[in-house]
Amino acid sequence: MYNVMSPKAEEFISHEEILESLAYAEKNKNNRKLIDEILTKARERKGLSHREAAVLLDCELEDKNQEIYALAEQIKKDFYGNRIVMFAPLYLSNYCVNGCEYCPYHVKNKHIARKKLTQEEIVKEVTALQDMGHKRLALEAGEDPVNNPIEYILECIKTIYGIKHKNGAIRRVNVNIAATTVENYRKLKDAGIGTYILFQETYHKESYEKLHPTGPKHDYAYHTEAMDRAMDGGIDDVGLGVLYGLNNYRYDFTGILMHAEHLEAYKGVGPHTISVPRLRRADDIDPDVFDNGISDEIFAKIVACIRIAVPYTGMIVSTRESQKCREKVLHLGISQISGASRTSVGGYAEPEPEEENSAQFDVSDNRTLDEVVRWLMEMDYVPSFCTACYREGRTGDRFMTLLKSGQIVNCCHPNALMTLKEYLEDYASEETRVIGDKLIEKEMDVITNPKVKEKVRDYLANIHNGERDFRF
């Protein structure tokens, strides 16, 4: 068996263990007795091993698959309720020295428009995002030590936190940049970032190295061990992800669960989030060239099985996915979505000219944030713009302890309702505001603590006076 306590990538992501787990899952995909035992364990809400989850992913028994979907939906409700956290990506620069074959930013792509935001341009972009109502950003940048050094990223974060516009403010900046050193992770921590996010792309080492033929990202071990270094640098919330469509999905599904197990065992805290992006068309990138694409049905099964296997993790789906697909997986475990995203460098303040396309991938869900918020509420979800846990120090093991004990709802639900009201008051259309006010009134019944309920009602009543950002 692989060693989850080792910090070495090829030990905690053991190729042999993954192959054995996939063979075991294939052998037992119709083993009703075993699948019942795994589901019984899953109902304890304490998660599953990667091998057990692989069996559920491969399960062909239709009645058991329906149990899997129903259990995933219930576990999501138990841990995260009906709240959906909202965020937007902000691409700072698409300069990159890597040769990643699936990304239009690759160094050999000579016809993509290369751009890097100045601090003045960042102010304009962030002001536009604030005017939509966003409070949480995910920063994205290519890997280029000359154009995008850590000092540039830190300056951008400082600029973003300093922008106050009307009632707008970005309250939390998450960061998705290339694997770096413990020293640089300490700098990001000191800059006040939220979650550090890094996608593995694929856990299959041979495929990984072929897909990253040149550049620093070619180093599989350095990339895979990045989360250990980030935690050594003081960042206690990290986000994992693979890019489905690059490699066999069963392999990468098993690999990401092994990575989660490793962080839990070696660092004491599992991933704060797991993202499930799928390969999309982009400049110089044709997803049909890759022969590992997955259907919407398999995609939904992956989401459900991750939710069951890692019940505590937040799960993210972006505007890579269509409205129809996002609606399906929201029920199966997703707790965070992006809205009104731009994957180009710039484009929020004013549309990017077509001849200057700098996007990383094509967006499938092009609705405005107001439309997304209204859509969620019409399905009885509570769009949440809350970032209170980060700012109150409820991160890492403290957050996970509250989440696993069921106590986080006493913070999350009141904060979600208050930040939703802020959005409705400051940014929403009249139609969205009417729906939202009715939803908030109904959702007040979820708050059982009389003192908390009184404080929330007081905040909601006084928001007309300009008060903002009370939090539990």
Side-chain angles (χ1 to χ4, degrees), residues 142-403:
E143 183 170 11
D144 186 324
V146 173
N147 288 292
N148 313 328
I150 190 66
E151 290 76 19
Y152 170 69
I153 303 298
L154 297 172
E155 184 182 10
C156 293
I157 294 170
K158 183 178 180 181
T159 295
I160 291 167
Y161 278 142
I163 300 167
K164 309 302 178 187
H165 172 66
K166 298 180 180 177
N167 286 327
I170 300 303
R171 297 171 177 168
R172 185 50 47 197
V173 173
N174 297 334
V175 174
N176 182 359
I177 62 170
T180 187
T181 63
V182 173
E183 180 184 3
N184 284 343
Y185 286 126
R186 286 198 184 100
K187 292 177 181 178
L188 289 171
K189 172 68 174 180
D190 291 342
I193 73 163
T195 304
Y196 172 67
I197 303 162
L198 184 67
F199 295 166
Q200 182 62 28
E201 321 303 0
T202 177
Y203 284 96
H204 189 276
K205 185 173 184 290
E206 183 179 351
S207 297
Y208 178 96
E209 290 173 345
K210 288 180 180 178
L211 288 163
H212 306 93
T214 59
K217 196 170 179 177
H218 177 75
D219 190 333
Y220 173 87
Y222 188 77
H223 187 86
T224 311
E225 295 161 11
M227 295 310 186
D228 294 72
R229 294 195 301 279
M231 288 183 160
D232 288 343
I235 298 173
D236 46 9
D237 285 346
V238 298
L240 305 179
V242 295
L243 184 53
Y244 288 101
L246 291 182
N247 187 52
N248 178 278
Y249 73 90
R250 299 167 69 242
Y251 191 102
D252 283 331
F253 169 87
T254 308
I256 203 167
L257 294 185
M258 291 172 72
H259 202 165
E261 291 167 354
H262 163 71
L263 294 177
E264 184 87 39
Y266 190 64
K267 294 297 183 182
V269 182
H272 189 71
T273 59
I274 293 179
S275 297
V276 286
R278 280 195 286 183
L279 189 64
R280 286 290 180 237
R281 189 172 301 279
D283 181 274
D284 203 43
I285 302 298
D286 181 357
D288 295 334
V289 172
F290 301 88
D291 58 4
N292 288 294
I294 58 174
S295 66
D296 288 355
E297 289 71 25
I298 292 174
F299 182 65
K301 187 84 176 287
I302 288 170
V303 170
C305 290
I306 291 175
R307 171 52 64 213
I308 291 172
V310 198
Y312 58 80
T313 194
M315 290 189 68
I316 302 174
V317 69
S318 75
T319 50
R320 288 174 182 262
E321 301 299 336
S322 67
Q323 174 182 341
K324 181 180 178 182
C325 183
R326 298 218 291 178
E327 186 167 328
K328 184 171 184 177
V329 295
L330 276 170
H331 297 297
L332 298 176
I334 296 300
S335 59
Q336 295 188 29
I337 67 171
S338 53
S341 300
R342 299 286 183 273
T343 65
S344 54
V345 181
Y348 288 112
E350 53 187 64
E352 182 181 54
E354 189 172 336
E355 66 275 11
E356 295 182 11
N357 179 30
S358 64
Q360 190 183 37
F361 58 86
D362 288 351
V363 170
S364 297
D365 187 344
N366 290 292
R367 292 172 295 167
T368 66
L369 182 60
D370 189 77
E371 290 170 330
V372 172
V373 167
R374 185 165 65 249
W375 165 69
L376 288 171
M377 295 192 300
E378 287 172 343
M379 294 187 292
D380 270 345
Y381 289 109
V382 176
S384 174
F385 296 86
C386 176
T387 59
C389 282
Y390 294 113
R391 293 175 295 150
E392 293 295 318
R394 292 188 294 267
T395 58
D397 56 358
R398 186 180 176 198
F399 175 85
M400 289 301 175
T401 298
L402 289 169
L403 183 69

Side-chain angles (χ1 to χ4, degrees), residues 421 456-465:
K421 182 62 177 179
V456 173
R457 285 205 179 279
D458 184 62
Y459 182 76
L460 299 180
N462 288 298
I463 199 168
H464 297 284
N465 299 327

